Amino acid sequence: MSKGNAMRNNWRDCKAWKDFGVELSTTNNEAAKLFDAVLTQYVGWYDDDSLGGLEKSVEKMIGNDPNFVMGHVIKNGLDALGTGRSYYLDKDFQAEVQTMMDLGKSPSTLPREKKHINAVKLWAQGEMTEACLVWESILEENPLDMLALKFAHDSYFYQAHHPQMRDSIARVFPKWESSMPLYSYLYGMHSFGLEECNHYAEAEKVARKGLELNRNDCWSTHSMAHVLEMTGRSSEGIQFMSSTENDWNVCAMLACHNYWHYGVYNIERGLYDEAVGLFDTQIGPRAAKSGAMLDMVDACSLLYRLNLEGIKVKDKWREFNEVCKDHVDDHILTFNDAHFLMASLGAGDKSAADKLLTSLKEFAKGTGKGDNQKISKEVGVPLCEALVAYDAGDFAKAVSLVQPIRYKIITIGGSHAQRDVFNLFLIHAALQSPQKDHNRLARILLTERKALKSNSPLTDRLISRAMAVHADG
Ligand SMILES: [Fe+2]
């Protein structure tokens, strides 16, 4: 792939890490360099082909020094935050976390490394908030620890802890110098935190700076995509994504998600053929190939949005349901659960949908562990029951389940743009409900929506529809 000038290949050895101020306890220079390569690919969301990609780099790093504790930390942290492996169901993952903890008992393990071990263990066990506190305590002492910064950043995203995401980067930024490795990525991360806190103008400025320093920084591209989405600049969004496509689509781990944003602009403008085209050529194949949870939820989300708009996508669900149904008992994130359920309902797989809902109810009742147990109980169960009711044509039930919790849906995590599928879901349910008060609710929700983003063709189409329902009544 074309990496541009900002892509790195000069990896830090043990001494270079120590000189940088982020010491590693390994004495194996090759492992230390590969740690840098793994961290860099993680932060940049790309596979470095010269190293065989991220997964191969992780393998080589551990192979070079099987006792390299920070190697195990980054490996397990990537698995945990990938949200595809459940600590409680996957015995191999439990053993891998245990190995990391056992290695941490060595007298050579540094205090900062011990904190890293604890944070990854906590996150794997579902204690996301506590894990973030540990990463932040590392950063208080060592603001240059990019791994702690990025793990915390991703975790805040999963939890929709937007101010934390913004401030986490803002407070370390002044400690970094522009000559430091990975410096430019701070812009994209800071921009996204600003954007999710609705500071759109500042977020745009910061993302553009990130792209000026590294045009392949697909997280800065992503933040720009959010700014354009939230401010209703959908035509500009299409133009931005298409004109920079070859800069960001080389970042394999985020490309599917950036194509999802591109697709959402098209749905917004009623350009359904273009959205379906992006699904068929990019989002679908990329998600099917990677099997990554982030890609899975994007595929489900785009199909669900197309469905809501009345576009027939029924034959497209099956292969995603095949992957999602293996995760019905995971309950790592309520956000994921809701999207897995969309896949089984979309594919008409009633048994997988029932299985997920039954398992979720058990988890929510108290068998579950971690932060997501409470979220599942308060939001996950009613939200998933509403998706099932809607699918069965019981729109009144879907409204009565979601309306009381609509301001709590933020707790399931993800971005505002991603969770907007649930705002749209409630509007569509309310429009189709036989109850007049629900039809009125639809009009109220659309008034809110229009006030928040006045230049949305999708909102205008729904308003026209709501007026027609009103006139009929
Ligand atoms: Fe996004």
Side-chain angles (χ1 to χ4, degrees):
M1 80 184 211
S2 152
K3 296 197 177 65
N5 294 329
M7 294 292 180
R8 302 184 56 216
N9 54 21
N10 187 17
W11 311 117
R12 285 166 279 188
D13 62 10
C14 297
K15 182 175 180 304
W17 274 110
K18 194 174 179 187
D19 293 346
F20 181 66
V22 180
E23 193 177 353
L24 300 171
S25 57
T26 184
T27 52
N28 184 315
N29 276 323
E30 205 46 42
K33 285 182 177 185
L34 282 160
F35 177 80
D36 197 5
V38 170
L39 176 66
T40 300
Q41 290 170 86
Y42 169 41
V43 172
W45 298 86
Y46 69 96
D47 285 305
D48 187 327
D49 297 338
S50 67
L51 296 160
L54 176 62
E55 255 181 67
K56 197 84 202 149
S57 307
V58 169
E59 240 174 72
K60 281 195 246 174
M61 172 183 65
I62 303 278
N64 263 285
D65 178 5
N67 297 327
F68 175 29
V69 72
M70 285 306 289
H72 289 266
V73 162
I74 197 166
K75 175 184 170 294
N76 290 331
L78 287 171
D79 277 347
L81 276 94
T83 72
R85 294 184 81 184
S86 160
Y87 176 83
Y88 295 106
L89 301 178
D90 184 338
K91 300 285 172 222
D92 291 342
F93 191 33
Q94 272 180 33
E96 289 159 35
V97 171
Q98 190 57 49
T99 300
M100 169 186 76
M101 287 158 65
D102 292 343
L103 286 171
K105 289 177 190 147
S106 154
S108 64
T109 308
L110 302 165
R112 198 190 80 262
E113 293 177 325
K114 285 186 178 164
K115 286 188 181 181
H116 266 293
I117 294 165
N118 188 30
V120 166
K121 181 205 74 172
L122 285 165
W123 212 95
Q125 293 177 343
E127 303 296 343
M128 300 181 279
T129 304
E130 241 189 284
C132 285
L133 291 174
V134 179
W135 284 317
E136 291 298 347
S137 83
I138 292 173
L139 291 163
E140 271 172 33
E141 286 175 24
N142 199 329
L144 302 182
D145 191 322
M146 178 55 97
L147 185 62
L149 195 63
K150 172 71 172 158
F151 276 157
H153 186 71
D154 286 358
S155 183
Y156 293 140
F157 163 68
Y158 283 133
Q159 298 171 275
H161 286 178
H162 306 310
Q164 291 89 326
M165 183 159 59
R166 176 196 60 199
D167 298 343
S168 174
I169 309 298
R171 60 184 165 244
V172 302
F173 219 149
K175 308 286 181 193
W176 283 68
E177 288 165 20
S178 60
S179 58
M180 289 173 174
L182 306 176
Y183 166 81
S184 71
Y185 290 108
L186 294 173
Y187 286 90
M189 292 160 81
H190 189 215
S191 170
F192 189 50
L194 289 164
E195 182 282 326
E196 288 295 286
C197 291
N198 311 340
H199 303 302
Y200 301 124
E202 186 63 16
E204 179 169 349
K205 213 169 75 186
V206 175
R208 287 196 190 278
K209 176 75 182 168
L211 286 169
E212 197 185 295
L213 295 173
N214 176 4
R215 64 185 168 86
N216 296 117
D217 176 9
C218 61
W219 197 238
S220 280
T221 300
H222 172 251
S223 189
M224 268 304 295
H226 273 268
V227 168
L228 298 172
E229 171 66 30
M230 299 306 285
T231 52
R233 291 150 68 189
S234 50
S235 287
E236 197 182 334
I238 291 170
Q239 169 62 24
F240 174 71
M241 297 312 272
S242 67
S243 65
T244 59
E245 187 172 353
N246 293 332
D247 291 341
W248 53 262
N249 73 3
V250 291
C251 301
M253 285 171 273
L254 194 67
C256 184
H257 183 68
N258 276 343
Y259 275 113
W260 173 87
H261 278 280
Y262 195 172
V264 169
Y265 296 133
N266 280 299
I267 295 176
E268 168 76 71
R269 304 205 66 75
L271 302 168
Y272 302 121
D273 286 348
E274 283 81 349
V276 171
L278 284 170
F279 185 88
D280 288 342
T281 58
Q282 299 292 345
I283 300 163
R286 284 175 185 271
K289 185 174 173 227
S290 77
M293 292 299 107
L294 180 64
D295 295 350
M296 276 302 136
V297 298
D298 285 333
C300 296
S301 169
L302 202 83
L303 289 181
Y304 205 83
R305 283 173 181 248
L306 284 164
N307 229 1
L308 288 174
E309 292 281 297
I311 307 302
K312 299 267 175 289
V313 291
K314 194 161 174 45
D315 58 323
K316 300 184 194 292
W317 284 105
R318 203 180 45 82
E319 64 180 316
F320 305 103
N321 178 47
E322 289 306 309
V323 178
C324 294
K325 73 182 188 187
D326 287 341
H327 295 274
V328 292
D329 294 317
D330 287 4
H331 311 304
I332 294 171
L333 298 171
T334 295
F335 183 86
N336 286 4
D337 282 350
H339 286 81
F340 298 159
L341 184 60
M342 289 174 189
S344 52
L345 293 171
D349 186 347
K350 199 177 169 317
S351 127
D354 286 348
K355 208 170 156 223
L356 188 143
L357 201 56
T358 308
S359 168
L360 179 63
K361 282 180 182 170
E362 269 306 301
F363 179 85
K365 234 193 282 172
T367 56
K369 294 194 172 66
D371 295 342
N372 193 44
Q373 192 264 335
K374 186 168 171 255
I375 300 163
S376 297
K377 188 176 168 187
E378 289 181 358
V379 182
V381 171
L383 185 61
C384 287
E385 283 182 324
L387 290 168
V388 171
Y390 187 102
D391 186 67
D394 192 345
F395 304 113
K397 186 177 176 188
V399 173
S400 62
L401 283 162
V402 172
Q403 192 195 358
I405 56 151
R406 71 185 185 101
Y407 284 110
K408 284 189 185 171
I409 292 177
I410 190 167
T411 61
I412 76 170
S415 66
H416 299 299
Q418 283 177 311
R419 280 188 315 278
D420 195 34
V421 72
F422 302 111
N423 299 329
L424 294 169
F425 170 80
L426 180 57
I427 292 167
H428 279 274
L431 275 173
Q432 292 172 87
S433 169
Q435 290 183 216
K436 291 290 157 225
D437 57 329
H438 287 169
N439 303 154
R440 189 169 59 238
L441 173 70
R443 294 194 294 277
I444 292 167
L445 293 171
L446 284 162
T447 306
E448 286 177 17
R449 192 173 176 84
K450 181 84 181 164
L452 216 51
K453 187 161 82 175
S454 60
N455 46 350
S456 161
L458 185 148
T459 301
D460 293 341
R461 290 196 299 274
L462 287 169
I463 289 173
S464 302
R465 211 174 128 190
M467 289 309 151
V469 171
H470 187 47
D472 288 349

